[in-house]
Amino acid sequence: MIKPTPNPPEHEDTSPYESSDSKKFHEAAERALDHHFAPSSDKPKPRKGNLFAVSPNIDTEALLANASEELLSISAIAVNLADDVDGARRSLALALSRLADGVRLLVERALDHIDSPNPAEHRAKV
């Protein structure tokens, strides 16, 4: 195969910074690469010592809904446990179930306030 132009001659004098335009181009390319591929400094720092963590960008309604479901589960576990034990342990398990139910009611009320545009109006109606 015949090439229309010969290979360029290899010179040790050739530099990417040959002219002022190529220097500006190289600087602009470096800035662009640094901008797009540099490690981000706004990443959250990892917390030490936390086994469980809640994501900071979850909205309040989702947090309360999950808390309500967890309290329902705790109450069901306590009632199940109360069926298997007698005496003071039964009373303790039933007390835990009632406590979880009471806190769940508080969480449900908080969810109602989130749906209402003005919680004070909601209180006046109840």
Side-chain angles (χ1 to χ4, degrees), residues 12-97:
E12 292 179 14
D13 300 345
T14 306
S15 167
Y17 305 108
E18 210 168 286
S19 69
S20 64
D21 288 338
S22 62
K23 280 185 181 181
K24 288 179 184 177
F25 176 74
H26 182 72
E27 289 170 359
E30 287 295 320
R31 282 193 310 272
L33 288 171
D34 288 344
H35 175 74
H36 290 288
F37 297 112
S40 178
S41 62
D42 60 346
K43 289 182 182 177
K45 295 179 181 177
R47 295 176 143 172
K48 295 181 181 178
N50 289 339
L51 182 59
F52 299 102
V54 177
S55 179
N57 56 355
I58 296 177
D59 65 331
T60 304
E61 186 175 4
L63 291 170
L64 288 171
N66 279 292
S68 177
E69 292 297 319
E70 295 298 326
L71 288 165
L72 185 64
S73 298
I74 291 169
S75 179
I77 291 169
V79 167
N80 254 348
L81 179 63
D83 288 341
D84 294 338
V85 295
D86 294 321
R89 291 184 183 262
R90 178 179 169 81
S91 297
L92 180 63
L94 290 173
L96 288 174
S97 174

Side-chain angles (χ1 to χ4, degrees), residues 92-110:
L92 180 63
L94 290 173
L96 288 174
S97 174
R98 290 194 62 188
L99 185 62
D101 288 340
V103 174
R104 184 169 183 263
L105 287 173
L106 295 173
V107 170
E108 291 294 324
R109 178 60 59 96

